[in-house]
Amino acid sequence: MKHILYILMGTLIVACSTTPLEVNIPQQEQKTVVFSQVIPGRTMIIALTKSFGALELQQNEDDSISSSSLSRFLEDSATVTISYNGQSDTLFQIEKGLYASISTPQEANIIYDLKIQNDRGEELTASAYMLPKINFDSSFPSIERSGDTTVSIDFSFTDLPGSNWYMINFYRQGENLDGLDVNSVFKNGDNNLVRTEIVSDATFDGVYTNQSIFSSDEMSITDTIAVAVSNISEDYFKFLDLRKRGGNIFSELVSEPISYPTNIKNGYGFFNTHYPDIEIFDLNNY
């Protein structure tokens, strides 16, 4: 109640004041934001952006973010390494803001250490433990054509021993579906990731079974789609739980995540090494 009174009093003071009040809002120091993904059997991807304030963005008339504005916040010329079992791999730059390794092994029960040196002379570090892989027991799509056309994906998987947290990602057709959202990770509204769902095994017993339903705007009946399940850490689960309010992958990456939990020392975002099980379906066959 006191907070409400303070707000009302502040409103009255401003309303009665004839002199403009100067408001000083301290700016957060710019930091590197980290996003990571494992593409099974292929590569590890590290995506780097710079944090920024909302007033620094330039928007187009259709409310999309201009490519020139976005480009300013991609980390260029960084040195990125991943170390494991006494070895170290230096990632190569795919394009501005994207770094990859095709030689780093993707083995469970190994700690991976990330080190980043950006072009501003800052050093960031993080560590992630790759958990055992979780596999689908079953997954299949179906199409409902009566009324509004919808795509449903039914899936199930068996809980691993101990306490666990899981992430289920749904993707639609893009230029490179095998690469999932990495190839369009910095595009506004034109990426492959449709939805992320998370679940803790504290909410189910033994086998998790679910049906996820998508509108025609989310998935077309002519799309090729993919569903992926990953065994993730509790900390990353908490990160995703807060980030769900952030919208698509674009807004998640470039929004200033200072209120989110992070395992990045001297930066923002999250370094994770989850290894997904992926099923791909051509909806033209259903």
Side-chain angles (χ1 to χ4, degrees), residues 4 8 19 22 29 31 33 36 38 49 63 69 71 73 77 108 112 118 125 145 160 190 199 224 249 256 260 264 271:
I4 297 174
L8 290 174
T19 304
E22 291 187 7
E29 182 183 359
K31 293 288 186 180
V33 184
S36 65
V38 174
T49 65
D63 289 333
S69 176
S71 180
F73 299 104
S77 304
Y112 294 86
N118 62 28
T125 58
R145 291 182 169 85
L160 296 173
D190 185 25
V199 62
T224 296
I249 194 70
E256 191 170 12
Y260 295 161
I264 308 295
F271 172 55

Side-chain angles (χ1 to χ4, degrees), residues 226-280:
V227 55
V229 60
S230 303
N231 181 15
I232 62 175
S233 68
E234 182 179 12
D235 287 341
Y236 190 49
F237 178 90
K238 292 176 179 177
F239 173 81
L240 291 173
D241 193 35
L242 289 176
R243 202 184 67 179
K244 282 192 301 183
R245 309 168 195 171
N248 62 25
I249 194 70
F250 172 84
S251 56
E252 292 166 0
L253 282 173
V254 300
S255 297
E256 191 170 12
I258 56 173
S259 60
Y260 295 161
T262 179
N263 65 348
I264 308 295
K265 293 182 180 178
N266 200 32
Y268 302 130
F270 213 97
F271 172 55
N272 64 88
T273 54
H274 61 84
Y275 193 103
D277 182 27
I278 302 174
E279 299 286 346
I280 298 176

